[in-house]
Each structure stands twice: as structure tokens, then as C-alpha cells.
Amino acid sequence: MALWWNRWVAFRTEGGSRAEEIDRLQAHFKSNGLKSKITLEGSSLKRIHVRSKDEDRAKELAASFDAEHSKL
């Protein structure tokens, strides 16, 4: 459970050649009306954060995103 002052939770982290997936996931979230933000960790890790109250919706959207991109 998130504390009241911690509005954002880390949702997914990718590094190396998969770091670009974070940008695509953020675009998918945005097109479905979900707010997110990206932070950089070190030189090659990207982390996407969602609001704590939207975490369940983010899981649903991420599952559909993963299913769509696994077909490619």
C-alpha cells in the first residue's frame, strides 16, 4: 500500500535494447487516458511510473500491450 504522499509507483523497468519499450508503453497508456511518467536510472535503465490509484488499470493495459507486441 502506498503512503498518501507517494502518488507515483514504479511500474516497469527496462534496460539496454528493451528501454525503447518503455516509450511505447507510455504512448499506449496515454492513448488510453492513463497518466504516466518516465525516469532514467543510470545510463541505460528507464523506469515508467503510474499513479498509485491507477496501478490496476496499468496492469490491464500493460497485459494488452504485451499481448499485442508478442505477436510481432
Side-chain angles (χ1 to χ4, degrees), residues 1-2 4 9 20-21 25 28 30 35 37 40 45 49 51 58-59:
M1 184 173 138
W4 65 272
V9 294
E20 189 176 303
E21 290 294 312
L25 182 59
H28 183 69
K30 185 175 182 178
K35 291 186 178 185
K37 66 179 183 177
L40 299 175
L45 290 178
H49 302 262
R51 292 183 295 182
K59 288 177 184 177

Side-chain angles (χ1 to χ4, degrees), residues 25 28-29 32-34 56-66:
L25 182 59
H28 183 69
F29 285 170
N32 286 282
L34 187 72
D56 291 334
R57 177 78 174 126
K59 288 177 184 177
E60 294 171 7
L61 291 172
S64 68
F65 173 82
D66 292 338

Side-chain angles (χ1 to χ4, degrees), residues 33-52:
L34 187 72
K35 291 186 178 185
S36 62
K37 66 179 183 177
I38 294 176
T39 58
L40 299 175
E41 301 288 327
S43 62
S44 64
L45 290 178
K46 280 188 177 180
R47 182 171 288 151
I48 190 166
H49 302 262
V50 296
R51 292 183 295 182
S52 57

